[in-house]
Amino acid sequence: MRAWGDRLAGAIAVALFTLIPTSYWVIGNANLTNAFGQFVALLAVTLVVIWSLEGGNLRQVVAWTLVIALALLSHVSTFATLGVTLALMIVLFWWSGTPVLRRAGRGLLIATALAGIFSVAIYYG
């Protein structure tokens, strides 16, 4: 927006930057595990957001656990950033106070804990 004074171009640039799950320096350094981890982390957060209004049933918890574990196994930086993101989502789900989001928060807590334990056991095992 600053470069050309065009608000539409600025909005499109922000949208495109948000839609691309990896930054150019990750690809430039050929750190493909980090790029894959960022993509799967984005997928995990998307699934949590989309499915959070259904409560926390077993199917969701299993799916969340599998996707989160895949992301956590991809790269150590993904472990850190996704872990913090999911922890904040759990807190916000509980803080919202609605029964549906509290159930989703409980399911997300279980999925994150199981995925973390599984990932650490597989990585260091």
Side-chain angles (χ1 to χ4, degrees):
M1 201 303 238
R2 286 186 203 155
W4 295 295
D6 187 1
R7 290 180 184 260
L8 180 62
I12 291 172
V14 168
L16 289 176
F17 181 78
T18 304
L19 292 175
I20 298 174
T22 59
S23 58
Y24 288 112
W25 64 268
V26 170
I27 300 297
N29 291 335
N31 194 347
L32 298 180
T33 57
N34 191 353
F36 179 74
Q38 287 181 10
F39 168 72
V40 178
L42 178 65
L43 179 65
V45 171
T46 303
L47 286 176
V48 169
V49 170
I50 289 172
W51 282 352
S52 63
L53 294 178
E54 294 179 16
N57 60 37
L58 183 61
R59 179 177 54 94
Q60 286 175 308
V61 173
V62 169
W64 289 347
T65 303
L66 293 174
V67 175
I68 292 169
L70 181 62
L72 296 180
L73 281 168
S74 299
H75 197 269
V76 72
S77 69
T78 305
F79 197 96
T81 57
L82 182 61
V84 170
T85 302
L86 293 175
L88 289 174
M89 288 178 77
I90 292 166
V91 169
L92 290 174
F93 283 174
W94 277 92
W95 189 38
S96 74
T98 64
V100 173
L101 285 181
R102 282 186 183 239
R103 278 194 310 272
R106 190 176 332 114
L108 182 56
L109 176 64
I110 292 167
T112 303
L114 289 175
I117 291 167
F118 175 77
S119 300
V120 169
I122 292 295
Y123 185 78
Y124 289 107

